[in-house]
Amino acid sequence: MHRPLKKSVATYVPLLVATALVVTATPAEAAPNKIGPVKGLDVTITKPAERYVVASDWNDLVGATAYRVSLSIGGTVLSSDKVTQSDWTVSTTSGAGSKVTVKVIPLAGKRPGRQTSAFATLPDLTAPRGTFEVVQTETGGRDATIVQLSLSDDVTAEQSILRTINWGDGTPTQAWSSATHSYPADMAAYEPTVTLEDAAGNVRVVHLAAVVVGDHRPPTGAFGATSAGWARWTKIALTETTPVDDDFVDPANVITRTVAWGDGTTDTWTGSASPTHVYAVADTYTPAVTLTDAAGNEQETTANPVVVTADTGRPTVSVKQPATRRTWVRTWATLHGKATDAATGVKVVRLRLIEKRGTTWYAYRSSSRRWVRGGTTQAAALRRATMPKVKPNAKGNWSYKVSGLRKGRFVIQAKALDNVKNKSELRTVSQSLTHN
């Protein structure tokens, strides 16, 4: 016996639309010597986001150890699974109006039982989408017009989408046939909306930019910048006093700050954190900030000049040799040295370590901290060695622990890089190790 169709329930919110459609299935004709079919197969369809969610459940079947389930459209299986519980949920991107079938086959071990199918149509659950712009005839003026930039729906034709306007000033909702409005003369900010509704009753409310009436003067503010820095390295920061809109500040205090750094790049300053910028080329720059209030009034304010210098100097690096027992392996097991840079600072020290034991050269592999055969020449061993990267401390001192060092001719190569990739001269230290 068929269950009655459950009523659909829809809840509409901007950008998120969800509803439920429930159908009840009819079991297939009984076949001898098979378990089932399952009873009470219900299918619920929702669309909480961009995909439909198809949820099915049924009554537990005595003797069933699992259930083989599938979702299909027109004979094409979209998804299938084997479950042990009496419910299954799957999602699909199929369009509204598609006719889907959910099939459930009970299993007794590996033996399939009789199939039950449920049929449903994916309903139109997606609200229309649209973008709109509100234009005032003059900055701070009373007259405003809403311009439609785009409008679409996955099912309903554009010309059939219902559009209504709420101007946000307490006047009655207005049909789209007249998208022009005159606001009261009092200084105030209004937030108009456009409500979109398709043929299925799905609704989306589009919030537009505020309309500010009576504000004719731009906001003001003062700004400062880091006065000097290094090209390609120093983060130049802007600071500000609180911008003030002399005529009117809307409830959200919407003042847009656009920063022109003086080198052709711009940033929109959002939030409370100060913006920063790294200049690529040495020069003197004067950042400028354009303040724009909600009414569209603008004011440009400049900060102090910023002197940016190029770091062209090379860092220096050294390898410290032990004061005593230079020929002992244990003395060289931890390497020490110093790296300095007078400008942007040392970023890293790179090492190459090789050792000649008898007639064979060995190369140190930094990733595994192991020695591998490097060939019969020093050059070949250097090519096989991989470089440990060491970060100096605040005073420029660095150290590195070498694993597996033995007796032989130990060769160390060191090179420092600063923060703009200037390289030091290569330092090479060679020491014969004769004692452990």
Side-chain angles (χ1 to χ4, degrees), residues 354-379:
I354 59 175
E355 187 176 33
K356 187 177 184 182
R357 302 169 185 169
T359 59
T360 303
W361 283 95
Y362 287 81
Y364 190 77
R365 309 287 289 184
S366 60
S367 58
S368 61
R369 290 184 173 265
R370 296 179 62 185
W371 294 89
V372 298
R373 288 181 177 270
T376 58
T377 66
Q378 177 173 322

mmCIF file of all heavy atoms in Angstrom, residues 354-379:
data_model
loop_
_atom_site.group_PDB
_atom_site.id
_atom_site.type_symbol
_atom_site.label_atom_id
_atom_site.label_comp_id
_atom_site.label_asym_id
_atom_site.label_seq_id
_atom_site.Cartn_x
_atom_site.Cartn_y
_atom_site.Cartn_z
ATOM 1 N N ILE A 354 82.936 17.368 3.056
ATOM 2 C CA ILE A 354 83.468 16.164 2.431
ATOM 3 C C ILE A 354 84.666 15.688 3.254
ATOM 4 O O ILE A 354 85.235 16.445 4.055
ATOM 5 C CB ILE A 354 83.892 16.405 0.968
ATOM 6 C CG1 ILE A 354 84.967 17.496 0.885
ATOM 7 C CG2 ILE A 354 82.683 16.755 0.106
ATOM 8 C CD1 ILE A 354 85.526 17.696 -0.511
ATOM 9 N N GLU A 355 85.024 14.432 3.070
ATOM 10 C CA GLU A 355 86.159 13.879 3.807
ATOM 11 C C GLU A 355 86.839 12.813 2.956
ATOM 12 O O GLU A 355 86.172 11.958 2.341
ATOM 13 C CB GLU A 355 85.708 13.277 5.135
ATOM 14 C CG GLU A 355 86.879 12.851 6.014
ATOM 15 C CD GLU A 355 86.451 12.343 7.377
ATOM 16 O OE1 GLU A 355 85.351 11.740 7.462
ATOM 17 O OE2 GLU A 355 87.206 12.529 8.346
ATOM 18 N N LYS A 356 88.192 12.851 2.945
ATOM 19 C CA LYS A 356 88.966 11.844 2.235
ATOM 20 C C LYS A 356 89.484 10.826 3.231
ATOM 21 O O LYS A 356 90.218 11.168 4.168
ATOM 22 C CB LYS A 356 90.133 12.480 1.492
ATOM 23 C CG LYS A 356 90.885 11.487 0.593
ATOM 24 C CD LYS A 356 91.992 12.168 -0.182
ATOM 25 C CE LYS A 356 92.670 11.189 -1.139
ATOM 26 N NZ LYS A 356 93.784 11.829 -1.878
ATOM 27 N N ARG A 357 89.072 9.585 3.049
ATOM 28 C CA ARG A 357 89.506 8.484 3.908
ATOM 29 C C ARG A 357 90.303 7.508 3.054
ATOM 30 O O ARG A 357 89.737 6.832 2.188
ATOM 31 C CB ARG A 357 88.300 7.784 4.523
ATOM 32 C CG ARG A 357 87.412 8.722 5.345
ATOM 33 C CD ARG A 357 86.101 8.068 5.710
ATOM 34 N NE ARG A 357 85.199 9.010 6.399
ATOM 35 C CZ ARG A 357 83.924 8.764 6.644
ATOM 36 N NH1 ARG A 357 83.369 7.619 6.245
ATOM 37 N NH2 ARG A 357 83.191 9.671 7.266
ATOM 38 N N GLY A 358 91.591 7.483 3.283
ATOM 39 C CA GLY A 358 92.451 6.690 2.410
ATOM 40 C C GLY A 358 92.511 7.343 1.038
ATOM 41 O O GLY A 358 92.869 8.516 0.900
ATOM 42 N N THR A 359 92.110 6.598 0.002
ATOM 43 C CA THR A 359 92.114 7.142 -1.356
ATOM 44 C C THR A 359 90.712 7.518 -1.833
ATOM 45 O O THR A 359 90.538 7.950 -2.960
ATOM 46 C CB THR A 359 92.706 6.104 -2.330
ATOM 47 O OG1 THR A 359 91.914 4.911 -2.278
ATOM 48 C CG2 THR A 359 94.153 5.791 -1.979
ATOM 49 N N THR A 360 89.719 7.325 -0.963
ATOM 50 C CA THR A 360 88.321 7.554 -1.360
ATOM 51 C C THR A 360 87.759 8.796 -0.686
ATOM 52 O O THR A 360 87.934 8.989 0.526
ATOM 53 C CB THR A 360 87.457 6.338 -1.015
ATOM 54 O OG1 THR A 360 87.997 5.177 -1.643
ATOM 55 C CG2 THR A 360 86.023 6.544 -1.480
ATOM 56 N N TRP A 361 87.069 9.609 -1.468
ATOM 57 C CA TRP A 361 86.378 10.773 -0.936
ATOM 58 C C TRP A 361 84.949 10.397 -0.571
ATOM 59 O O TRP A 361 84.307 9.600 -1.256
ATOM 60 C CB TRP A 361 86.344 11.912 -1.963
ATOM 61 C CG TRP A 361 87.641 12.653 -2.077
ATOM 62 C CD1 TRP A 361 88.635 12.426 -2.969
ATOM 63 C CD2 TRP A 361 88.068 13.737 -1.262
ATOM 64 N NE1 TRP A 361 89.682 13.293 -2.769
ATOM 65 C CE2 TRP A 361 89.350 14.128 -1.717
ATOM 66 C CE3 TRP A 361 87.511 14.437 -0.184
ATOM 67 C CZ2 TRP A 361 90.068 15.167 -1.143
ATOM 68 C CZ3 TRP A 361 88.224 15.469 0.379
ATOM 69 C CH2 TRP A 361 89.491 15.826 -0.087
ATOM 70 N N TYR A 362 84.462 11.000 0.514
ATOM 71 C CA TYR A 362 83.090 10.789 0.974
ATOM 72 C C TYR A 362 82.378 12.142 1.031
ATOM 73 O O TYR A 362 82.990 13.163 1.361
ATOM 74 C CB TYR A 362 83.058 10.111 2.348
ATOM 75 C CG TYR A 362 83.437 8.660 2.294
ATOM 76 C CD1 TYR A 362 84.782 8.276 2.258
ATOM 77 C CD2 TYR A 362 82.465 7.661 2.264
ATOM 78 C CE1 TYR A 362 85.137 6.939 2.196
ATOM 79 C CE2 TYR A 362 82.811 6.320 2.212
ATOM 80 C CZ TYR A 362 84.148 5.968 2.174
ATOM 81 O OH TYR A 362 84.488 4.641 2.107
ATOM 82 N N ALA A 363 81.086 12.113 0.706
ATOM 83 C CA ALA A 363 80.265 13.328 0.708
ATOM 84 C C ALA A 363 79.212 13.227 1.800
ATOM 85 O O ALA A 363 78.618 12.157 2.008
ATOM 86 C CB ALA A 363 79.591 13.518 -0.654
ATOM 87 N N TYR A 364 78.973 14.340 2.482
ATOM 88 C CA TYR A 364 77.980 14.379 3.561
ATOM 89 C C TYR A 364 76.623 14.778 2.986
ATOM 90 O O TYR A 364 76.491 15.794 2.292
ATOM 91 C CB TYR A 364 78.411 15.390 4.622
ATOM 92 C CG TYR A 364 77.581 15.342 5.887
ATOM 93 C CD1 TYR A 364 77.765 14.337 6.822
ATOM 94 C CD2 TYR A 364 76.617 16.318 6.151
ATOM 95 C CE1 TYR A 364 77.024 14.292 7.994
ATOM 96 C CE2 TYR A 364 75.866 16.289 7.318
ATOM 97 C CZ TYR A 364 76.073 15.275 8.231
ATOM 98 O OH TYR A 364 75.340 15.232 9.390
ATOM 99 N N ARG A 365 75.592 13.951 3.264
ATOM 100 C CA ARG A 365 74.230 14.211 2.794
ATOM 101 C C ARG A 365 73.432 14.776 3.964
ATOM 102 O O ARG A 365 73.184 14.087 4.967
ATOM 103 C CB ARG A 365 73.572 12.928 2.282
ATOM 104 C CG ARG A 365 74.409 12.157 1.273
ATOM 105 C CD ARG A 365 74.445 12.854 -0.065
ATOM 106 N NE ARG A 365 73.169 12.777 -0.757
ATOM 107 C CZ ARG A 365 72.956 13.238 -1.988
ATOM 108 N NH1 ARG A 365 73.931 13.849 -2.643
ATOM 109 N NH2 ARG A 365 71.774 13.106 -2.543
ATOM 110 N N SER A 366 73.014 16.032 3.856
ATOM 111 C CA SER A 366 72.391 16.709 4.986
ATOM 112 C C SER A 366 71.031 16.132 5.345
ATOM 113 O O SER A 366 70.638 16.130 6.507
ATOM 114 C CB SER A 366 72.259 18.208 4.690
ATOM 115 O OG SER A 366 71.454 18.407 3.533
ATOM 116 N N SER A 367 70.271 15.646 4.346
ATOM 117 C CA SER A 367 68.928 15.150 4.617
ATOM 118 C C SER A 367 68.941 13.903 5.489
ATOM 119 O O SER A 367 68.121 13.736 6.390
ATOM 120 C CB SER A 367 68.198 14.853 3.307
ATOM 121 O OG SER A 367 68.934 13.908 2.536
ATOM 122 N N SER A 368 69.905 13.007 5.246
ATOM 123 C CA SER A 368 69.996 11.758 6.024
ATOM 124 C C SER A 368 71.057 11.823 7.101
ATOM 125 O O SER A 368 71.157 10.907 7.925
ATOM 126 C CB SER A 368 70.296 10.589 5.080
ATOM 127 O OG SER A 368 71.536 10.780 4.410
ATOM 128 N N ARG A 369 71.872 12.896 7.078
ATOM 129 C CA ARG A 369 73.013 13.031 8.007
ATOM 130 C C ARG A 369 73.922 11.797 7.936
ATOM 131 O O ARG A 369 74.368 11.275 8.953
ATOM 132 C CB ARG A 369 72.522 13.275 9.439
ATOM 133 C CG ARG A 369 71.889 14.652 9.638
ATOM 134 C CD ARG A 369 71.490 14.910 11.067
ATOM 135 N NE ARG A 369 71.046 16.266 11.268
ATOM 136 C CZ ARG A 369 71.814 17.266 11.698
ATOM 137 N NH1 ARG A 369 73.086 17.040 11.965
ATOM 138 N NH2 ARG A 369 71.334 18.482 11.854
ATOM 139 N N ARG A 370 74.186 11.362 6.706
ATOM 140 C CA ARG A 370 75.050 10.211 6.480
ATOM 141 C C ARG A 370 76.102 10.556 5.431
ATOM 142 O O ARG A 370 75.920 11.455 4.598
ATOM 143 C CB ARG A 370 74.229 9.009 6.001
ATOM 144 C CG ARG A 370 73.224 8.506 7.023
ATOM 145 C CD ARG A 370 72.434 7.337 6.466
ATOM 146 N NE ARG A 370 73.298 6.206 6.167
ATOM 147 C CZ ARG A 370 72.891 5.085 5.579
ATOM 148 N NH1 ARG A 370 71.615 4.938 5.239
ATOM 149 N NH2 ARG A 370 73.747 4.106 5.332
ATOM 150 N N TRP A 371 77.213 9.802 5.482
ATOM 151 C CA TRP A 371 78.278 9.950 4.502
ATOM 152 C C TRP A 371 78.090 8.916 3.405
ATOM 153 O O TRP A 371 77.775 7.761 3.669
ATOM 154 C CB TRP A 371 79.642 9.750 5.160
ATOM 155 C CG TRP A 371 79.983 10.823 6.168
ATOM 156 C CD1 TRP A 371 79.680 10.828 7.488
ATOM 157 C CD2 TRP A 371 80.670 12.038 5.906
ATOM 158 N NE1 TRP A 371 80.128 11.970 8.097
ATOM 159 C CE2 TRP A 371 80.751 12.748 7.138
ATOM 160 C CE3 TRP A 371 81.230 12.616 4.764
ATOM 161 C CZ2 TRP A 371 81.381 13.977 7.252
ATOM 162 C CZ3 TRP A 371 81.860 13.850 4.876
ATOM 163 C CH2 TRP A 371 81.920 14.521 6.114
ATOM 164 N N VAL A 372 78.288 9.335 2.153
ATOM 165 C CA VAL A 372 78.200 8.416 1.014
ATOM 166 C C VAL A 372 79.478 8.550 0.187
ATOM 167 O O VAL A 372 80.181 9.572 0.238
ATOM 168 C CB VAL A 372 76.969 8.724 0.129
ATOM 169 C CG1 VAL A 372 75.690 8.540 0.918
ATOM 170 C CG2 VAL A 372 77.044 10.138 -0.447
ATOM 171 N N ARG A 373 79.816 7.506 -0.546
ATOM 172 C CA ARG A 373 81.000 7.563 -1.404
ATOM 173 C C ARG A 373 80.844 8.684 -2.428
ATOM 174 O O ARG A 373 79.840 8.781 -3.112
ATOM 175 C CB ARG A 373 81.213 6.234 -2.109
ATOM 176 C CG ARG A 373 81.714 5.123 -1.177
ATOM 177 C CD ARG A 373 81.922 3.832 -1.940
ATOM 178 N NE ARG A 373 82.453 2.794 -1.075
ATOM 179 C CZ ARG A 373 83.754 2.573 -0.870
ATOM 180 N NH1 ARG A 373 84.656 3.316 -1.507
ATOM 181 N NH2 ARG A 373 84.164 1.614 -0.068
ATOM 182 N N GLY A 374 81.900 9.496 -2.539
ATOM 183 C CA GLY A 374 81.840 10.643 -3.443
ATOM 184 C C GLY A 374 82.758 10.530 -4.634
ATOM 185 O O GLY A 374 82.796 11.439 -5.463
ATOM 186 N N GLY A 375 83.522 9.432 -4.747
ATOM 187 C CA GLY A 375 84.405 9.268 -5.892
ATOM 188 C C GLY A 375 85.863 9.394 -5.510
ATOM 189 O O GLY A 375 86.248 9.390 -4.333
ATOM 190 N N THR A 376 86.687 9.555 -6.529
ATOM 191 C CA THR A 376 88.141 9.586 -6.306
ATOM 192 C C THR A 376 88.708 10.989 -6.308
ATOM 193 O O THR A 376 89.907 11.164 -6.090
ATOM 194 C CB THR A 376 88.844 8.753 -7.397
ATOM 195 O OG1 THR A 376 88.493 9.288 -8.687
ATOM 196 C CG2 THR A 376 88.433 7.293 -7.324
ATOM 197 N N THR A 377 87.869 12.001 -6.551
ATOM 198 C CA THR A 377 88.360 13.379 -6.562
ATOM 199 C C THR A 377 87.552 14.247 -5.609
ATOM 200 O O THR A 377 86.390 13.966 -5.316
ATOM 201 C CB THR A 377 88.277 13.997 -7.975
ATOM 202 O OG1 THR A 377 86.902 14.115 -8.352
ATOM 203 C CG2 THR A 377 89.009 13.120 -9.000
ATOM 204 N N GLN A 378 88.176 15.321 -5.173
ATOM 205 C CA GLN A 378 87.499 16.267 -4.276
ATOM 206 C C GLN A 378 86.321 16.938 -4.982
ATOM 207 O O GLN A 378 85.245 17.124 -4.399
ATOM 208 C CB GLN A 378 88.499 17.323 -3.794
ATOM 209 C CG GLN A 378 87.880 18.393 -2.904
ATOM 210 C CD GLN A 378 88.900 19.342 -2.305
ATOM 211 O OE1 GLN A 378 89.997 18.914 -1.941
ATOM 212 N NE2 GLN A 378 88.545 20.617 -2.218
ATOM 213 N N ALA A 379 86.496 17.279 -6.251
ATOM 214 C CA ALA A 379 85.422 17.938 -7.002
ATOM 215 C C ALA A 379 84.198 17.039 -7.111
ATOM 216 O O ALA A 379 83.061 17.497 -6.979
ATOM 217 C CB ALA A 379 85.922 18.328 -8.388
#
